[in-house]
Amino acid sequence: MESDLHELEPIEEYENEDSLEISDKATVEATIDTPINEDPNEKNVYKRKPRKKTSTVWNHFEQVEVSGRHLESCLKYVGSKKKQKVLSVESNASGDVGIISNFQFDENSDWRLNRRVLNFCNIPPPHSRLLIADALHKCFRDWGIESKVCSITVDNAKANDVVLRHLRDVFNMRKSLVVGGKLFHVCCCAHITNLMVQDGLGEIGDIVDYVRDGIKFLVAYEGRLKQFTEIAKNLHLSSKKLFLDVPTRWNSTYLMLSAAYEFKDVFSMYGFNDRQFTWVPSHEDWDKVKSVCELLGVFNQVTKIVSGSDYPTSNLFLPEIWRMKEVLTKKCDDENDYIRSMARRMKAKFDKY
């Protein structure tokens, strides 16, 4: 089950110097063996044979010898000169070398992040929680992955808690879950963020409703919108557009408020020309909208990052959760009462999960 999401833009900020630059985003984890340091003249009959490299990822690398303190070998990505990069690796006492590299693949590479919808199944009424759990368990058996399930991510609903608790008990009887199933039930980070921000927006609900009603009035008739657009053009805001939100999607509310703030002068001028238009926020209200948008901008970025579908997210969500925590902790002591109250409500929800 997934939250409603907006179309995502490519994530650029997680590319760094230590990542190989390749375009199709994927995460690769690999472990290789290298020989133990030894005297070339001494024969070691007990020497362990190198582990066979079965993964096709090694088709993209070649192993080269280098000299230097503790370094025995390294890997070089086989591609264009621009893409080539040497990754030094260091062996431990047993000769094992571990290397974990996050990188993206070139367009011409065969590697792609795969996502599959395994099944849609109809569950006849009554839709009890145990029936849903049994239906899921049957799917796992039919797919042959009953012993390979590590975790299940669901949104925040009490019914899901019961379903996952039942499934965890079933899997635990077979001792098939890691760390006793403590990581089995995973809450959807995007959905929790949505709940958290909706709580915070409740603190300025009157302003949000005021702006929303004004936009509804403008978009109801083409003539009003045309007049509003002409004023915006005269103020050199022709590239901007009004945005009406879907109240159940908090980030669309953020986009509506941030777009409306850009038109704050247009709202005032249009209200002067059309006496029926009574939805002109005060300067104080616009200041609140600006401060709220600055806060919600961080959560909008986090939602985009953790909701990605064409790149791995399991390696990204933890820094983003920490980022939200830092912002909320700071804003809980903000000088503005409404921001302080909003942040505290959001942090209470954050701490709950």
Side-chain angles (χ1 to χ4, degrees):
M1 288 175 259
E2 298 180 354
S3 302
D4 289 324
L5 307 170
H6 284 279
E7 183 177 352
L8 303 177
E9 298 174 356
I11 302 303
E12 301 291 345
E13 60 188 15
Y14 287 91
E15 297 174 6
N16 54 50
E17 296 178 355
D18 297 327
S19 297
L20 295 178
E21 254 182 326
I22 333 177
S23 63
D24 241 358
K25 296 179 172 62
T27 301
V28 172
E29 299 185 0
T31 304
I32 63 170
D33 284 348
T34 54
I36 304 174
N37 288 330
E38 59 182 12
D39 186 342
N41 298 320
E42 181 180 349
K43 186 176 180 180
N44 184 0
V45 295
Y46 298 104
K47 178 182 173 182
R48 186 176 62 180
K49 292 182 179 180
R51 187 184 306 161
K52 184 178 179 181
K53 302 176 181 62
T54 57
S55 174
T56 54
V57 69
W58 299 113
N59 296 335
H60 297 270
F61 292 87
E62 65 180 11
Q63 191 167 347
V64 294
E65 297 298 326
V66 295
S67 59
R69 186 176 66 89
H70 301 312
L71 290 179
E72 295 181 352
S73 64
C74 61
L75 299 173
K76 182 173 69 175
Y77 179 70
V78 179
S80 64
K81 291 183 178 179
K82 181 180 179 181
K83 305 277 188 186
Q84 285 183 354
K85 184 172 182 178
V86 172
L87 305 176
S88 61
V89 292
E90 191 167 330
S91 64
N92 57 23
S94 65
D96 294 330
V97 176
I99 176 170
I100 299 177
S101 176
N102 296 324
F103 57 87
Q104 307 157 346
F105 283 105
D106 193 283
E107 303 180 325
N108 299 322
S109 170
D110 296 328
W111 288 89
R112 299 223 188 283
L113 177 67
N114 291 303
R115 184 179 59 164
R116 295 286 183 269
V117 176
L118 296 178
N119 193 12
F120 281 107
C121 53
N122 178 40
I123 303 177
H127 296 147
S128 70
R129 297 156 188 179
L130 292 181
L131 280 178
I132 295 174
D134 289 340
L136 282 173
H137 190 217
K138 181 179 182 300
C139 288
F140 294 142
R141 289 199 311 267
D142 293 344
W143 300 329
I145 59 174
E146 189 178 9
S147 62
K148 300 178 181 179
V149 176
C150 177
S151 65
I152 299 179
T153 302
V154 294
D155 60 10
N156 181 52
K158 290 184 177 179
N160 290 336
D161 293 343
V162 178
V163 170
L164 270 294
R165 193 181 307 126
H166 177 72
L167 281 175
R168 183 174 56 196
D169 293 341
V170 171
F171 283 120
N172 267 334
M173 285 191 292
R174 294 174 173 79
K175 308 294 183 182
S176 60
L177 294 179
V178 295
V179 294
K182 292 181 179 179
L183 304 178
F184 182 69
H185 182 182
V186 179
C187 294
C188 175
C189 184
H191 188 238
I192 291 175
T193 304
N194 176 57
L195 296 174
M196 187 167 55
V197 177
Q198 291 285 11
D199 266 16
L201 285 172
E203 286 295 316
I204 59 163
D206 54 341
I207 299 177
V208 174
D209 291 339
Y210 196 61
V211 172
R212 184 185 293 124
D213 290 342
I215 296 175
K216 285 181 179 178
F217 177 87
L218 291 168
V219 301
Y221 293 99
E222 186 177 349
R224 296 171 185 169
L225 193 58
K226 184 177 180 181
Q227 185 180 354
F228 188 91
T229 302
E230 287 297 325
I231 297 174
K233 286 182 178 179
N234 292 334
L235 296 176
H236 305 289
L237 295 172
S238 56
S239 61
K240 306 290 183 180
K241 291 183 180 180
L242 285 175
F243 185 90
L244 186 61
D245 72 332
V246 179
T248 55
R249 301 180 185 177
W250 81 264
N251 44 353
S252 72
T253 303
Y254 157 73
L255 293 173
M256 179 189 73
L257 292 175
S258 60
Y261 180 77
E262 298 293 331
F263 288 111
K264 63 181 187 297
D265 294 331
V266 184
F267 272 77
S268 178
M269 294 181 68
Y270 183 87
F272 182 79
N273 295 330
D274 186 349
R275 297 300 180 181
Q276 290 185 316
F277 186 73
T278 59
W279 297 275
V280 181
S282 64
H283 289 295
E284 181 182 3
D285 287 342
W286 281 126
D287 288 341
K288 289 183 178 180
V289 169
K290 180 183 178 182
S291 299
V292 168
C293 286
E294 289 174 352
L295 172 61
L296 296 186
V298 175
F299 293 86
N300 185 51
Q301 292 174 8
V302 171
T303 299
K304 285 184 176 183
I305 291 169
V306 301
S307 303
S309 60
D310 59 351
Y311 57 87
T313 58
S314 59
N315 59 321
L316 303 180
F317 84 96
L318 186 57
E320 297 309 317
I321 289 179
W322 184 259
R323 182 179 172 191
M324 288 193 294
K325 180 182 183 299
E326 286 189 314
V327 170
L328 290 175
T329 301
K330 181 179 179 181
K331 292 298 182 180
C332 281
D333 296 322
D334 195 87
E335 59 182 7
N336 296 317
D337 292 340
Y338 58 92
I339 291 292
R340 190 164 60 245
S341 178
M342 183 177 178
R344 287 176 179 176
R345 286 187 64 171
M346 292 172 67
K347 191 172 186 302
K349 182 75 74 173
F350 180 92
D351 292 341
K352 176 182 177 181
Y353 292 103

